[in-house]
């Protein structure tokens, strides 16, 4: 059982929005280091990113950012080497690594977010805004999967009939086009059945209500308030300039005593929150099981 | 008071003088389980749709349809939606939402019920119908049987008085279909819910229904208990052909008892029993070469999934018809994919006329060698008329073993299931295949269309085409196979000539075999049984 999945979608959305939002806009190396460690740990703990190739791709992006920036921006006092006429500075490399960390932590956070927020949870959020929008989205999602499945089936049927030629690009483009055109007729044909099924079940006979299987419990209230508290604890010192980091001309970290510590502690706790929930859940489960 | 009463109903579609329904009158009492039967085109669907106001077709209508005493047109919109529930053929297209729980709640949301009320009704229904284990799933992950059960459940949550089903199991395999029908009969018994169902699959339905309603060319032949109606049905060979095996055998041997179920059939056969009689098996000619051979084939869809085919070895000899039977997920359809080169096995080899599949370059495999007719025949069509379809594939209409000319002007999607099957088969035959692979060719076909398909397959076989059929339909396999193979967990577990094969199986076998077990040695079709009871020889 994954602990975070059991919370109300609203709570989950607020948590990820706060954590990723801070990581995206702070440009502060210490906060971003915390974000990156936390986001990666969560992703690995929950097995949200399964393939090693995805991890490698993410880190390639990080190194790309770290190397590309010094090639484009030549600010900074400590010159490491000169390529052509362009100086490569340590500050510029550090700026690249920091922005790479921002991208990477947001990517990892979104991987977990995507795995937790499945379509029905997203729809629940939209449903709060408009029940009609939520129904349209749900039907849309249903149709996308129907459509792609039928596309695959038609293509396979045509291949085994020897009618689908993919010897060259032109032929295979023509083949895809033929499939697309028949898919449109198919979708219209099936749309009628779906419309019938909707009206047969009273669609349009009166005002619709919106049903969901999610409820907002005291646990959600608790997690939501902790999230907001910790986010405020991070954002307020950030806005007051208590942890401002300047890259150019030389690297400099502004320190403002207790307020700075509050910022690091709050964000560290915020990032660690889901990891704590996951492990607490696992430990609790083990204890319960040992009693059985 | 009758739950449904139809009085002098006559109906014709717009711009047509042909009356689809002519002066139909009958009534259904509360709690009855009624089966509507008749050949394709006899007006079954039209009649059912007229009973559900939202789905009623446009056209000229006279006569009345009363739901619990109220004419359908006088019901309020909400009442019309709630009191009559409707489930149709296509499991996929009826589903509106992408999640199971959302689909269950859809109708109740439309009625504007409160969150608590919806939660209670949905929970009740999911528990009763055993949907709980997949309540959170996405619809696309469900099997066909589960989808149709979901359609039934999402109509049942609205608490209808009358449940109408239009061929709900025609897209399901026999096992899922039988489960669906038993659930239906359980609902009928538990809640005394009135059920009106149109079906081709009458073998199981007729013994369990209270009332049989028979339509023939738009007129009512009768609406009464099956045993009362049976003597009249027996007069009509086309109708009789769709009835259960037991009653067909009884009529053929002139027994007046009209048994419906296998149990009643056994009681009748007992009078003629002679366990010493053995029907001869049509032994295959020896020394034939192999048209298609799968050697120790292993296949899986993805690395982390288990093997779908494991150490599968299978041969199709030249000029034979081989039927592959087996449960859902035993790898039958996957085997066809591997044999036709759509899926690549990770171990083992596939040989077509002794040559490996990958040695057929530039699609020579699909020219005059091998062709596959998929399960969903709609996927074969790409054009707006059957004629364009035939022209595109280069079909020689005069060489076909059946006549397509009446269908040429129509859109392939407007054809009936059986006609679609024929048009698709014509397209497949255009490449002059020596090996024909068929995936569930009898799905959705009525008795008459099955007989037609059987004759076509026999013609093809006499022309020397080797045919491999994957099917759940044991009755059809018993009629058309030269050899049968049973699939289990991705490999072929038993192999035999049809009479021996079905006689040795105790559960996976035909109704005729189940009726005659212990009375005759190897009767597997209705024809076998009739011959044995009459004391004739069968070849």
């Amino acid at each position: 059982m994954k602990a975070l999945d059991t919370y109300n979608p609203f709570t989950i959305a607020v948590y990820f929005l706060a954590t990723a939002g801070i990581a995206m806009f702070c440009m502060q190396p210490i906060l971003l280091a915390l974000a990156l460690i936390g986001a990666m740990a969560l992703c690995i703990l929950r097995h949200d990113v399964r393939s090693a190739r995805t991890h490698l791709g993410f880190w390639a992006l990080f190194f790309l950012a770290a190397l590309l920036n010094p090639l484009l921006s030549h600010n900074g006092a400590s010159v490491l080497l000169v390529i052509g006429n362009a100086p490569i500075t340590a500050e510029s490399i550090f700026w690249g690594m920091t922005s790479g960390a921002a991208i990477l932590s947001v990517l990892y956070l979104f991987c977990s977010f995507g795995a937790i927020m499945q379509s029905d949870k997203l729809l629940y959020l939209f449903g709060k805004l408009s029940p009609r929008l939520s129904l349209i989205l749900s039907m849309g999602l249903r149709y996308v999967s129907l459509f792609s499945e039928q596309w695959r089936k038609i293509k396979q049927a045509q291949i085994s009939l020897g009618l689908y030629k993919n010897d060259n690009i032109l032929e295979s483009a023509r083949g895809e086009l033929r499939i697309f055109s028949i898919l449109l007729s198919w979708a219209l044909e099936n749309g009628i059945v779906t419309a019938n099924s909707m009206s047969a079940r009273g669609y349009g006979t009166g005002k619709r209500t919106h049903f969901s299987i999610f409820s907002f419990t005291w646990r959600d209230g608790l997690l939501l308030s902790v999230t907001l508290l910790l986010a405020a604890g991070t954002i307020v010192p950030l806005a007051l300039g208590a942890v401002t980091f300047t890259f150019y001309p030389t690297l400099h970290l502004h320190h403002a005593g207790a307020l700075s510590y509050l910022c690091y502690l709050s964000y560290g706790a915020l990032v660690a929150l889901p990891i704590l929930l996951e492990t607490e859940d696992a430990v609790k489960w083990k204890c319960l099981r040992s009693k059985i | 008071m009758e739950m449904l009463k139809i009085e002098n109903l006559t109906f014709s579609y717009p711009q047509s003088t042909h009356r689809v329904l002519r002066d139909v009158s009958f009534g259904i009492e509360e709690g009855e389980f009624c089966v509507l039967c008749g050949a394709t085109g006899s007006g079954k669907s039209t009649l059912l749709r007229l009973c559900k106001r939202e789905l009623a077709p446009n056209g000229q209508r006279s006569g009345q349809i009363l739901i619990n005493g109220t004419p359908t047109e006088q019901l309020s919109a909400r009442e019309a939606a709630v009191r009559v529930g409707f489930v149709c053929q296509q499991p996929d297209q009826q589903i509106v939402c992408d999640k199971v729980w959302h689909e269950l709640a859809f109708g109740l949301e439309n009625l504007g019920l409160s969150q608590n009320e919806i939660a209670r009704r949905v929970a009740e229904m999911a528990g009763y119908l055993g949907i709980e284990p997949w309540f959170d799933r996405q619809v696309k992950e469900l099997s066909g049987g589960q989808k149709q059960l979901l359609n039934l459940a999402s109509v049942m949550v609205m608490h209808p008085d009358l449940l109408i089903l239009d061929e709900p199991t025609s897209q399901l395999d026999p096992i899922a279909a039988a489960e669906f029908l038993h659930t239906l009969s359980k609902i009928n018994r538990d809640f005394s819910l009135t059920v009106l169902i149109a079906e081709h699959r009458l073998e199981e339905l007729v013994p369990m229904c209270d009332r049989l309603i028979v339509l023939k060319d738009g007129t009512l032949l009768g609406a009464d208990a099956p045993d009362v109606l049976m003597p009249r049905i027996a007069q009509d060979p086309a109708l009789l052909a769709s009835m259960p095996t037991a009653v067909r055998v009884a009529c053929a041997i002139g027994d007046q008892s009209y048994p419906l179920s296998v149990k009643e059939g056994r009681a009748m056969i007992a009078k003629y029993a002679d366990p010493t009689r053995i029907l001869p098996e049509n032994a295959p000619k020896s020394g034939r070469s192999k048209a298609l051979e799968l050697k120790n084939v292993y296949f899986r869809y993805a690395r982390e999934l288990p093997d779908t085919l494991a150490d599968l070895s299978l041969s199709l000899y030249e000029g034979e018809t081989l039927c592959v039977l087996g449960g859902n997920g035993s790898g039958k359809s996957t085997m066809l994919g591997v044999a036709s080169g759509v899926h690549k096995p990770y171990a083992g080899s596939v040989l077509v006329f002794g040559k490996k599949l990958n040695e057929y370059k530039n699609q020579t495999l699909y020219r005059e060698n091998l062709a596959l007719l998929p399960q969903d025949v709609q996927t074969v069509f790409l054009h707006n008329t059957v004629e364009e379809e035939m022209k595109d594939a280069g079909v020689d209409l005069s060489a076909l073993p059946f006549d397509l000319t009446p269908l040429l002007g129509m859109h392939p999607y407007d054809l009936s299931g059986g006609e679609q099957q024929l048009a698709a088969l014509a397209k497949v035959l255009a490449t002059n295949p020596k090996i024909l692979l068929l995936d569930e060719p009898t799905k959705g076909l009525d008795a008459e269309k099955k007989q037609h398909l059987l004759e076509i397959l026999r013609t093809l076989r006499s022309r020397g085409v080797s045919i491999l059929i994957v099917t759940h339909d044991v009755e059809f396999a018993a009629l058309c196979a030269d050899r049968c193979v049973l699939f289990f967990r991705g490999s072929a577990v038993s192999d035999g000539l049809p009479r021996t094969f079905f006689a040795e199986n105790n559960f996976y076998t035909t109704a005729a075999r189940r009726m005659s077990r212990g009375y005759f040695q190897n009767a597997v079709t209705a024809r076998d049984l009739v011959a044995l009871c009459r004391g004739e020889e069968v070849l």
Side-chain angles (χ1 to χ4, degrees):
Chain A
M1 190 63 216
K2 289 171 177 175
L4 218 51
D5 296 68
T6 58
Y7 284 86
N8 188 287
F10 182 70
T11 318
I12 300 171
V14 167
Y15 173 80
F16 278 97
L17 219 62
T19 318
I22 292 171
M24 229 183 298
F25 296 113
C26 71
M27 261 324 256
Q28 213 282 357
I30 298 175
L31 291 183
L32 282 171
L34 288 172
L36 184 53
I37 294 168
M40 240 185 106
L42 181 65
C43 231
I44 292 169
L45 192 71
R46 289 176 40 92
H47 308 287
D48 288 333
V49 176
R50 288 241 173 79
S51 77
R53 206 181 288 171
T54 315
H55 279 292
L56 279 178
F58 283 3
W59 280 97
L61 215 61
F62 173 79
F63 286 110
L64 193 74
L67 292 177
L68 212 60
N69 189 58
L71 291 179
L72 300 172
S73 151
H74 307 294
N75 294 334
S78 357
V79 176
L80 295 179
L81 69 156
V82 178
I83 299 175
N85 292 339
I88 303 293
T89 65
E91 287 81 8
S92 187
I93 293 180
F94 196 71
W95 195 93
M97 281 168 65
T98 312
S99 60
I103 295 171
L104 205 56
S105 49
V106 170
L107 275 177
Y108 274 117
L109 282 171
F110 268 100
C111 282
S112 296
F113 184 68
I116 296 169
M117 292 294 264
Q118 288 187 342
S119 68
D120 52 343
K121 290 193 183 141
L122 279 177
L123 289 177
Y124 167 80
L125 288 180
F126 285 118
K128 292 266 158 200
L129 299 174
S130 147
R132 189 168 293 173
L133 180 69
S134 146
L135 178 67
I136 290 171
L137 280 171
S138 176
M139 290 176 66
L141 283 169
R142 166 100 191 101
Y143 248 74
V144 167
S145 67
L146 261 183
F147 216 74
S148 55
E149 175 66 11
Q150 189 70 8
W151 186 300
R152 193 187 59 76
K153 275 199 209 155
I154 294 181
K155 193 167 163 181
Q156 221 163 61
Q158 300 302 321
I159 290 176
S160 59
L161 279 174
L163 289 173
Y164 183 86
K165 302 178 185 70
N166 49 1
D167 305 335
N168 57 52
I169 299 175
L170 203 69
E171 283 289 351
S172 69
R174 198 172 291 161
E176 297 284 346
L177 203 68
R178 271 154 47 115
I179 296 176
F180 184 70
S181 84
I182 197 70
L183 260 175
L184 285 183
S185 329
W186 180 85
L188 288 175
E189 189 82 14
N190 286 308
I192 296 170
V193 181
T194 312
N196 276 340
S197 158
M198 287 172 74
S199 62
R201 282 185 280 158
Y203 184 74
T205 53
K207 198 172 155 39
R208 264 177 72 81
T209 45
H210 178 68
F211 173 69
S212 85
I213 49 172
F214 306 107
S215 50
F216 196 87
T217 60
W218 66 269
R219 291 165 68 232
D220 290 299
L222 190 65
L223 182 63
L224 191 63
S225 7
V226 172
T227 304
L228 291 176
L229 216 65
L230 291 176
T234 316
I235 292 169
V236 170
L238 251 175
L240 293 175
V243 291
T244 307
F245 190 90
T246 46
F247 291 87
Y248 306 119
T250 52
L251 303 176
H252 173 76
L253 175 64
H254 182 69
H255 194 76
L259 209 54
S260 308
Y261 287 122
L262 173 72
C263 182
Y264 299 136
L265 272 176
S266 301
Y267 196 59
L270 186 66
V271 166
L273 204 58
I275 302 170
L276 283 176
L277 287 175
E278 296 281 342
T279 43
E280 186 218 347
D281 209 54
V283 170
K284 221 194 256 172
W285 182 237
K286 275 223 175 83
C287 290
L288 280 175
R289 208 167 46 179
S290 67
K291 278 182 202 156
I292 297 171
Chain B
M1 172 92 59
E2 280 154 324
M3 183 54 74
L4 173 71
K5 192 168 170 58
I6 292 180
E7 288 172 342
N8 309 98
L9 183 68
T10 299
F11 183 83
S12 60
Y13 281 97
Q15 283 133 34
S16 162
T17 48
H18 174 68
R19 283 180 297 168
V20 187
L21 295 170
R22 266 171 293 174
D23 202 21
V24 174
S25 307
F26 64 90
I28 294 177
E29 297 291 332
E30 196 212 283
E32 279 188 329
F33 192 102
C34 307
V35 173
L36 177 62
C37 63
T40 310
S42 57
K44 291 188 306 246
S45 276
T46 311
L47 177 60
L48 293 184
R49 283 176 180 266
L50 284 170
C51 298
K52 172 79 179 162
R53 198 177 74 191
E54 292 88 343
L55 307 182
N58 288 323
Q60 279 291 319
R61 192 193 108 175
S62 66
Q64 269 201 322
I65 302 172
L66 304 146
I67 307 286
N68 224 340
T70 322
T72 47
E73 53 278 0
Q74 284 174 24
L75 292 169
S76 73
R78 193 187 157 100
E79 265 188 323
V82 171
R83 290 172 69 175
V84 182
F86 197 94
V87 176
C88 73
Q89 261 189 46
Q90 302 95 329
D92 253 317
Q93 287 79 7
Q94 284 176 83
I95 299 175
V96 178
C97 302
D98 70 324
K99 284 276 183 170
V100 171
W101 64 264
H102 200 184
E103 182 64 20
L104 281 171
F106 176 77
L108 303 173
E109 287 182 334
N110 290 337
L111 300 181
L113 298 185
S114 69
Q115 169 93 12
N116 282 339
E117 174 76 8
I118 296 180
R120 203 191 69 233
R121 286 206 196 180
V122 163
E124 251 190 339
M125 196 42 66
Y128 178 74
L129 289 178
I131 290 174
E132 242 178 308
W134 35 278
F135 188 70
D136 281 326
R137 293 249 199 103
Q138 294 191 27
V139 170
K140 65 177 176 193
E141 298 166 20
L142 306 182
S143 70
Q146 287 174 326
K147 280 178 190 160
Q148 207 57 307
L149 192 62
L150 173 60
N151 283 321
L152 178 63
S154 41
V155 164
M156 287 296 299
V157 286
M158 302 183 66
H159 299 174
D161 296 331
L162 170 65
L163 186 60
I164 298 178
L165 305 101
D166 190 2
E167 299 186 11
T169 68
S170 74
Q171 300 302 312
L172 308 184
D173 67 70
I175 294 133
E179 264 171 33
F180 184 85
L181 295 179
H182 282 118
T183 306
L184 204 59
S185 126
K186 180 170 145 67
I187 290 175
N188 168 259
R189 271 181 284 118
D190 288 1
F191 306 109
S192 183
L193 177 73
T194 320
V195 175
L196 175 60
I197 176 172
E199 255 307 331
H200 290 319
R201 233 179 271 270
L202 297 172
E203 189 81 46
E204 295 122 34
L205 266 181
V206 169
M208 67 187 177
C209 76
D210 301 313
R211 189 189 291 271
L212 200 59
I213 300 160
V214 187
L215 277 182
K216 190 170 170 61
D217 300 326
T219 50
L220 187 75
L221 199 82
D224 222 321
D227 46 337
V228 177
L229 219 52
M230 220 33 95
R232 278 159 72 192
I233 292 174
Q235 307 297 319
D236 188 320
L239 271 175
L240 184 62
S242 62
M243 290 294 134
T245 313
V247 70
R248 273 186 292 147
V249 171
C251 289
I253 60 178
D255 194 298
Q256 296 296 316
S257 60
Y258 300 113
L260 297 173
S261 62
V262 167
K263 199 165 148 189
E264 290 166 8
R266 275 185 75 78
M268 173 192 72
I269 297 290
K271 291 181 277 183
Y272 303 88
D274 180 2
T276 59
R277 293 206 54 197
I278 301 181
L279 293 168
E281 191 78 79
N282 300 323
K285 282 172 267 163
S286 56
R288 292 171 308 164
S289 58
K290 287 171 180 171
L292 173 72
E293 189 182 10
L294 280 78
K295 271 200 238 170
N296 308 96
V297 166
Y298 286 82
F299 175 81
R300 56 175 71 171
Y301 281 97
R303 198 174 54 185
E304 62 273 16
L305 294 177
D307 284 337
T308 314
L309 300 178
D311 199 25
L312 168 67
S313 296
L314 184 78
S315 307
L316 172 70
Y317 293 95
E318 275 185 35
E320 84 167 342
T321 303
L322 174 67
C323 281
V324 171
L325 299 134
N328 269 341
S330 59
K332 301 188 308 295
S333 292
T334 311
M335 182 272 291
L336 286 186
V338 168
S340 62
V342 172
H343 302 315
K344 302 269 177 288
Y346 72 85
S349 55
V350 182
L351 305 171
V352 174
F353 296 111
K355 212 163 115 183
K356 278 194 180 173
L357 267 192
N358 52 15
E359 287 169 23
Y360 286 90
K361 292 279 186 293
N362 297 328
Q363 307 191 324
T364 44
L365 174 64
Y366 304 116
R367 275 182 215 126
E368 311 210 336
N369 281 316
L370 180 146
L372 167 69
L373 182 66
Q375 196 173 128
D376 185 354
V377 289
Q378 273 199 356
T379 58
V380 169
F381 306 119
L382 291 177
H383 297 278
N384 288 326
T385 63
V386 176
E387 191 166 15
E388 283 175 51
E389 213 61 76
M390 296 302 130
K391 208 179 280 170
D392 179 50
V395 179
D396 179 6
L397 287 172
S398 58
L400 288 175
F402 46 88
D403 187 23
L404 269 188
T405 37
L407 311 177
L408 285 179
M410 290 172 75
H411 193 288
Y413 288 177
D414 292 338
L415 305 178
S416 74
E419 291 165 342
Q420 279 187 353
Q421 187 92 34
L422 291 186
L425 189 60
K427 242 187 128 174
V428 169
L429 291 176
T431 53
N432 286 321
K434 297 195 203 77
I435 303 171
L436 185 59
L437 311 176
L438 303 171
D439 196 355
E440 297 288 353
T442 59
K443 206 174 186 180
L445 301 191
D446 63 12
E448 194 192 334
K449 296 283 182 312
K450 271 189 203 177
Q451 187 59 37
H452 190 199
L453 180 66
L454 190 65
E455 281 153 22
I456 292 168
L457 292 179
R458 283 185 181 146
T459 315
L460 288 172
R461 188 181 59 171
S462 68
R463 292 183 188 175
V465 180
S466 321
I467 304 170
L468 175 59
I469 303 173
V470 157
T471 185
H472 277 107
D473 193 335
V474 284
E475 311 288 336
F476 186 75
L479 287 169
C480 77
D482 295 323
R483 200 157 58 88
C484 293
V485 165
L486 183 66
F487 253 52
F488 182 66
R489 292 167 61 92
S491 64
V493 287
S494 79
D495 178 339
L497 302 171
R499 282 206 179 112
T500 325
F501 180 87
F502 288 114
E504 280 173 358
N505 285 357
N506 279 316
F507 301 99
Y508 215 87
T509 190
T510 60
R513 172 61 194 156
R514 280 178 278 143
M515 266 161 57
S516 64
R517 186 165 28 86
Y519 298 150
F520 292 116
Q521 284 222 346
N522 60 351
V524 298
T525 64
R527 203 164 137 247
D528 290 354
L529 257 185
V530 171
L532 283 173
C533 291
R534 281 187 184 153
E536 290 167 359
E537 292 302 321
V538 184
L539 287 174

